[in-house]
Structure formats: structure tokens, C-alpha cells
């Protein structure tokens, strides 16, 4: 079944220069494997499309049930240079949560 | 156990927060983070205009206001309010509150050493883009190395009520009191990593206590009286993140986790001047209401290179806006954008970029924005930037005329022509650790 990421995860995003990073966190431990499987760096890169011009790198933090996406050339130069309203990528977390992912019903309920 | 709080996540944060932290419950150390990436360049400009300026001007009046309770409650302050002129900041504090003891940490300013460093073969390449410094050498405004926690801890050793620094690693503000109190050594990597992780969690103020938190934000208690975060730190490296009782917001696994992953790169290598912390080793446990405990944090030896933040003049920018109302608000706004671009194209001006957003439609989320029925109003927001100030000044005159000679219902232009602003940009680079010599000075 297809669901929006926001149903199983929450997120926070911020900036370092022209780099935007999104921390994606499973709402429940049982959702984490689906995040790891579905939310790949490639899928995040294509989801953001023209908002992110550079490469996307994914890091895993299983201890926090989290993934960290580091997105380069993501803020029109970043900081003071950027002409975007969201020059600091503050909304990129919410933007990632709009992604649709494919999950098995049992992954949501926890029963096999 | 000592309690270390953060009462400012940036220069501009809630003014009441530091006062409530000192007066609203037990506390030993109050940290305040005033310096964003580009703040140093603004302060450098202010010091050029007046040698007695160049620091966070909010801080001395706050210090004076807090002075009686700092003394009666035994709270000490660690703040990077010094900017590019910590000594002047200290003098202003003492002018307003003569009884306080202030120590400043100096040595982060490397502006005068840039040419020597380049001559010695340090290219100071931009660590994000790889570009060599020579491309901006003649436009540099400031250069400050990120200092670590040890010089601040030595300043606390002097017995100062207030320790003032310039540029430093944000998490080091909270780590310094731990080093001072617990006698942690420069190679206590796991302890330094634990303090750094806790410091990172509180460095953005209420972002650790429910502010800007996605998860169930609608149920966050009492945003108006949100409690700012504090660490209960123990000598063995056990840390609890909490807040004063009776305050708003909340401390949960979600609020703490969101902040742990905020503005980081590789989580196994969170780089600071003091230690390389591995955030994939942080173990969080619930420790009662509004209490999250951290354990298991591992650290690796500190890097040989220090980050230096260089600011330079990038050019100019200008952003003009107009609001169009329904019906056809978006079509009118799109037409306005086309007109402005056609007129600019006929003028032979020079821009690095022109960028248009339709506010209320796609400004932040672009193609990911949810679909909208007929919007009641749309703001067209056209921004331009470039190296040629004259072109930007002409641009600033090309948006407002559409009120009378473009599509109907243009409004919201009350501010008149938009301002042309100088863009001071940020250039992160690396320098050898021995390029800076931290010094501590007591000011009286």
C-alpha cells in the first residue's frame, strides 16, 4: 500500500551554507525498516527535483531510528546569497514528508 | 551534578528566556549563543565604523539586568556575545554592572593572518565548493576560527561571573562548564563527546523543548511560556536534557532526536575543535516527565585542522513584492513577473540570477506544494542578485510601476521601492590548529 511519509515519520531540516540537511525520524521503531528500504538517497534527490541541484548523501542512525540526508546545492547559494524565501531549508523536512512510500500493511501494525 | 542551560539560540531569540532560566528554577550555568554564520561580518563592519562596537549589543543590558540574581543564585554565564570585540563588550557590561567579574577569551580573529597562511601554503579553499580563496581575497571582511571549550573552561577557572568569547563552536559553550567543574582532560574523548552531544541538543534553545517540532505540534503545551532546555551533567558523562518545572513546551524523545540530527553532516563524525563525536552511539532513554537521558556517547580524537569562517562581499541583491487579489490572482501575478522580466531584458543590465516565487502557491515547497483551489490572493516575489550595484538599483525601480501599468488589483506595496542590500557571504575553510593562540584576559 502507498502512504505519505508523514504518517510514519517526522523530520527537521536546517542549513550549512548551500547544504540543506533533513533528519528523518521513524515515529515508531517498527516503521524504521520501511524508512531504510524506501527512502533512498536517489529517491530523495528525485523527490526534491529542481530544489536540490547537487548530490544527496544518506546516513543511517539506527540508534535514533533516524536517517540524515545531506543535500548539496540545495539553497540557491544559501544564507545571505539565496533569493529564496526559505533560504535556510527550514521547510525541507516538511517537503520530504510529502513523499509517497510503499509499505506492507503488517509494517504499520507490527503483526506478521 | 551541574545544571547548564541555553537561553538564546541565535541573536534575536526570545529576550525573556535567559531571565526565566535564571529565576525559574535551579541553575549553575547559563549559556547564550549569539553568533550565526554571517553575524561576524556585520559586527566587523560595526567595529570598523566605531572601535567600541562589534559585539552583540543585546547582551550588556541583559547582563546588567541579570547581575543581582547571578550573584544571589551563584549562576555563571558563558556567552559568545563578544563577536569581533569581546573586550569592548566586557567594558560595556562593567559600565552597566560594575560589580561583575568578566573574563574574555581572545584569539579567534585570524583576519590579520590570512596572507601569512596563504603564503605558508594553506589555500583556505571553501570546504563546500572547493574554490580557492584567491577568488575572493580582495573582498574578505572577517575571518574567525572556531575556538573550542578548553579556553572557555580556563576562563571559568579564574572565577569570572561572565565568560565572553567571539567565534566558538556552539556546543563548546555548554561543554566548557563541564570541563571546568569535572576536570575533564583534553583526551577524555568519550566524556567530551557526551558533553558535545548534550551541548548540541541545547544550542538552539527551545528547538529542544518543543519549538519547531513536527511531531504532534498541535498538542505542544503552552508555546507562549516555553521552557528553554537545560542539561543535568554528571562527571561520568551521564547527561539528562530537561527544562524548568511549570514551563511550557516538552522534552521528549522526538524533540531531542529532531535537534540531534539538526544541521549535521556525517553523524559518525560530528566535528568540533575539542572532539569528533559519534552521534550514532547516542543512546536516549526516558527518565520521567520532560526528562531524556543520554548515555553511551563515543568520541574520537579532535581534528588537526580548525574550521575558520571567512566572510566576503559577494555582491548585491534586491527583492520586490506585489500582491494581487482574486479573481485570477495567480494569473495576474504571473503576468506581472513576465512584464518585469521583459522590461529588464530591454535594459541591458547584469544579473547573476533573477528568481521568482508566487507566495501562497509555491514559494517554499515548489513542485511539492499541495494543490490549491482559487487562492484569495497571491504575492509575486521577484528577487535579483549580481555584482553590479547599478543593475540592482535599476531592478528596484521596476516592480512598483506595475501598480499603475500592469494587471489589475496590485496592492501591498506600502514599503515603496525595495532596498538594494549588500550580500556578505560566508566562506568556510580549514586552518592548522596552531594558527591560533587562545588567550584569556580578565577585564575590570
Amino acid at each position: 500500500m502507498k502512504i505519505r511519509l508523514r504518517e510514519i515519520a517526522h523530520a527537521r531540516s536546517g542549513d550549512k551554507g548551500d547544504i540543506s540537511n533533513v533528519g528523518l525520524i521513524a515515529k515508531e521503531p517498527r516503521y524504521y525498516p520501511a524508512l531504510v528500504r524506501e527512502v533512498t538517497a536517489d529517491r530523495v534527490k528525485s523527490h526534491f527535483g529542481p530544489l536540490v541541484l547537487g548530490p544527496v548523501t544518506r546516513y543511517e542512525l539506527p540508534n535514533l531510528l533516524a536517517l540524515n540526508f545531506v543535500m548539496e546545492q540545495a539553497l540557491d547559494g544559501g544564507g545571505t546569497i539565496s533569493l529564496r524565501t526559505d533560504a535556510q531549508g527550514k521547510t525541507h523536512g516538511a517537503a520530504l514528508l510529502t513523499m509517497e512510500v510503499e509499505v506492507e500493511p503488517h509494517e504499520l501494525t507490527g503483526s506478521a | 551534578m551541574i545544571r547548564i542551560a541555553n537561553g538564546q539560540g541565535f541573536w534575536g531569540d526570545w529576550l525573556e528566556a535567559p531571565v526565566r532560566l535564571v529565576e525559574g528554577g535551579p541553575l549553575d550555568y547559563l549559556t547564550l549563543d549569539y553568533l550565526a554564520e554571517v553575524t561576524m561580518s556585520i559586527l566587523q563592519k560595526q567595529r570598523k565604523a566605531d572601535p567600541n562596537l562589534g559585539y552583540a549589543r543585546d547582551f550588556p543590558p541583559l547582563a546588567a539586568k541579570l547581575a543581582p540574581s547571578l550573584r544571589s543564585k551563584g549562576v555563571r554565564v558563558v556567552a559568545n556575545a563578544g563577536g569581533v570585540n569581546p573586550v569592548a563588550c566586557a567594558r560595556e557590561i562593567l559600565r552597566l554592572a560594575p560589580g561583575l567579574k568578566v573574563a574574555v577569551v581572545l584569539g579567534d580573529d585570524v583576519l590579520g593572518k590570512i596572507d601569512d597562511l596563504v603564503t605558508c601554503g594553506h589555500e583556505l579553499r571553501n570546504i563546500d565548493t572547493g574554490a580557492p580563496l584567491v577568488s575572493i581575497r580582495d573582498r574578505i571582511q572577517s575571518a574567525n576560527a572556531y575556538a573550542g571549550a578548553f579556553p572557555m573552561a580556563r576562563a571559568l577557572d579564574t572565577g569570572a561571573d561572565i565568560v565572553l568569547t567571539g567565534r566558538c563552536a556552539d556546543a563548546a559553550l555548554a561543554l566548557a562548564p563541564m570541563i571546568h567543574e569535572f576536570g575533564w582532560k583534553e583526551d577524555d574523548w568519550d566524556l567530551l563527546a557526551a558533553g558535545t552531544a548534550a551541548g548540541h541538543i541545547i544550542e538552539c534553545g527551545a528547538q529542544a523543548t518543543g519549538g519547531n517540532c513536527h511531531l504532534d505540534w498541535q498538542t505542544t503545551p503552552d508555546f507562549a511560556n516555553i521552557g528553554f532546555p537545560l542539561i543535568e551533567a554528571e562527571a561520568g558523562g551521564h547527561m539528562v536534557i530537561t527544562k524548568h518545572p511549570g514551563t511550557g513546551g516538552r522534552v521528549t524523545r522526538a524533540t531531542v532526536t529532531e535537534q540531534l540530527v539538526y544541521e549535521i553532516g556525517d553523524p559518525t563524525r560530528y566535528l568540533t575543535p575539542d572532539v569528533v563525536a559519534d552521534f550514532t552511539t547516542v543512546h536516549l532513554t526516558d527518565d520521567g516527565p520532560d526528562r531524556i537521558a543520554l548515555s553511551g556517547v563515543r568520541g574520537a580524537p579532535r581534528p588537526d585542522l580548525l574550521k575558520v569562517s571567512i566572510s566576503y562581499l559577494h555582491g548585491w541583491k534586491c527583492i520586490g513584492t506585489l500582491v494581487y487579489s482574486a479573481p485570477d490572482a495567480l494569473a495576474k501575478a504571473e503576468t506581472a513577473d513576465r512584464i518585469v522580466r521583459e522590461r529588464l531584458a530591454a535594459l541591458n543590465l547584469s544579473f547573476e540570477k533573477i528568481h521568482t516565487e508566487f507566495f501562497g502557491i509555491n514559494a517554499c515547497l515548489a513542485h511539492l506544494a499541495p494543490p490549491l483551489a482559487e487562492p484569495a490572493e497571491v504575492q509575486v516575489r521577484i528577487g535579483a542578485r549580481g555584482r553590479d550595484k547599478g543593475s540592482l538599483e535599476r531592478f528596484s525601480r521596476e516592480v512598483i510601476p506595475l501598480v499603475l501599468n500592469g494587471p489589475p488589483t496590485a496592492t501591498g506595496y506600502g514599503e515603496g521601492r525595495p532596498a538594494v542590500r549588500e550580500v556578505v557571504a560566508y566562506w568556510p575553510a580549514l586552518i592548522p590548529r596552531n594558527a591560533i593562540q587562545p588567550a584569556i584576559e580578565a577585564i575590570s
Side-chain angles (χ1 to χ4, degrees), chain A residues 10-12 68 80 85 90, chain B residues 214 258-259 262 317 357 424:
Chain A
H10 59 111
R12 178 168 296 179
N68 183 35
T80 53
T85 294
K90 297 284 186 189
Chain B
H214 271 271
E258 281 197 16
Q259 190 54 28
Y262 182 66
K317 76 173 181 182
E357 292 173 350
V424 178

Side-chain angles (χ1 to χ4, degrees), chain A residues 50-95:
Chain A
L51 283 173
V52 174
L53 304 180
V56 174
T57 307
R58 185 179 93 165
Y59 299 96
E60 297 180 20
L61 299 93
N63 54 319
L64 301 174
L65 305 173
L67 299 172
N68 183 35
F69 296 91
V70 175
M71 313 193 294
E72 299 176 39
Q73 297 169 60
L75 298 168
D76 183 33
T80 53
I81 296 175
S82 180
L83 294 169
R84 292 189 195 169
T85 294
D86 187 16
Q88 279 81 24
K90 297 284 186 189
T91 65
H92 284 179

Side-chain angles (χ1 to χ4, degrees), chain B residues 17 26 36 55 69 104 195 316 385:
Chain B
Y55 56 85
S69 16
V104 299
W316 303 86
R385 75 165 179 263

Side-chain angles (χ1 to χ4, degrees), chain A residues 9-19 21-25 27 46-51 53 59-70 72 76-77 79-88 90-98, chain B residues 37-38 128 207-208 210-216 253-255 257-267 279-284 307 312 314 317-319 352-355 357 359 363-368 381 383-385 423-426:
Chain A
H10 59 111
R12 178 168 296 179
S13 52
D15 67 314
K16 278 269 180 289
D18 200 17
I19 294 170
N21 90 292
V22 181
L24 181 71
I25 304 151
K27 287 184 183 178
S46 64
H47 180 71
F48 277 90
L51 283 173
L53 304 180
Y59 299 96
E60 297 180 20
L61 299 93
N63 54 319
L64 301 174
L65 305 173
L67 299 172
N68 183 35
F69 296 91
V70 175
E72 299 176 39
D76 183 33
T80 53
I81 296 175
S82 180
L83 294 169
R84 292 189 195 169
T85 294
D86 187 16
Q88 279 81 24
K90 297 284 186 189
T91 65
H92 284 179
L96 180 56
L97 293 177
T98 66
Chain B
E37 286 177 350
V38 297
D128 292 339
Q207 272 205 151
N212 193 26
C213 184
H214 271 271
L215 189 66
D216 302 329
R253 195 178 280 268
T255 67
T257 303
E258 281 197 16
Q259 190 54 28
L260 259 174
V261 295
Y262 182 66
E263 293 185 348
I264 65 168
D266 178 351
F279 285 0
T280 66
T281 60
V282 178
H283 184 65
L284 300 181
K307 188 167 158 185
Y312 69 99
H314 181 88
K317 76 173 181 182
C318 179
I319 295 167
E352 184 181 297
K353 180 157 190 178
I354 298 174
H355 171 77
E357 292 173 350
F359 207 88
C364 294
L365 296 183
H367 60 291
L368 299 171
R381 181 181 181 280
R385 75 165 179 263
V423 177
V424 178
Y426 168 71

Side-chain angles (χ1 to χ4, degrees), chain B residues 81-337:
Chain B
V84 298
N85 204 349
V87 172
C89 184
R91 291 208 179 103
E92 180 63 7
I93 292 166
L94 292 172
R95 191 180 69 79
L96 300 174
L100 288 173
K101 216 177 147 193
V102 183
V104 299
V105 177
L106 302 169
D108 65 300
D109 190 341
V110 293
L111 184 59
K113 297 180 184 173
I114 293 283
D115 288 326
D116 285 349
L117 285 164
V118 173
T119 307
C120 291
H122 302 290
E123 293 187 281
L124 299 175
R125 284 180 182 273
N126 185 313
I127 53 181
D128 292 339
T129 67
L133 187 80
V134 62
S135 58
I136 58 148
R137 177 65 194 95
D138 56 338
R139 292 180 277 145
I140 292 177
Q141 300 297 294
S142 65
N144 295 82
Y146 282 80
F150 280 89
M152 287 183 254
R154 298 293 85 85
L156 284 167
D157 294 345
T158 68
D161 300 300
I162 294 176
V163 169
L164 273 179
T165 77
R167 173 57 76 203
C168 66
D170 298 345
L173 293 168
L175 178 59
M178 301 179 204
I179 294 168
H180 161 71
E181 291 269 353
F182 305 141
W184 291 352
K185 302 289 181 289
E186 292 199 357
D187 60 354
D188 283 335
W189 307 122
D190 292 344
L191 295 171
L192 296 174
T196 295
H200 173 70
I201 290 166
I202 70 163
E203 79 189 23
C204 292
Q207 272 205 151
T209 54
N212 193 26
C213 184
H214 271 271
L215 189 66
D216 302 329
W217 71 267
Q218 299 92 333
T219 64
T220 304
D222 197 10
F223 271 122
N225 292 295
I226 198 162
F228 273 49
L230 63 94
I231 305 165
E232 292 178 2
E234 288 179 23
H238 186 75
M239 306 277 154
V240 172
I241 307 296
T242 186
K243 64 188 184 71
H244 281 330
T247 56
R250 59 186 164 204
V251 179
T252 65
R253 195 178 280 268
T255 67
V256 169
T257 303
E258 281 197 16
Q259 190 54 28
L260 259 174
V261 295
Y262 182 66
E263 293 185 348
I264 65 168
D266 178 351
T268 65
R269 295 184 55 75
Y270 182 78
L271 295 166
T272 77
D274 303 303
V275 66
V276 180
D278 182 352
F279 285 0
T280 66
T281 60
V282 178
H283 184 65
L284 300 181
T285 43
D286 294 309
D287 189 49
D290 291 316
R291 294 175 64 83
I292 295 290
L294 270 71
S295 57
V297 191
R298 303 299 301 271
R302 66 188 192 189
D304 292 330
L305 298 170
L306 291 179
K307 188 167 158 185
V308 55
S309 96
I310 297 169
S311 68
Y312 69 99
L313 297 179
H314 181 88
W316 303 86
K317 76 173 181 182
C318 179
I319 295 167
T321 62
L322 283 175
V323 173
Y324 289 92
S325 83
D328 307 321
L330 180 58
K332 293 167 183 168
E334 287 171 338
T335 304
D337 177 49

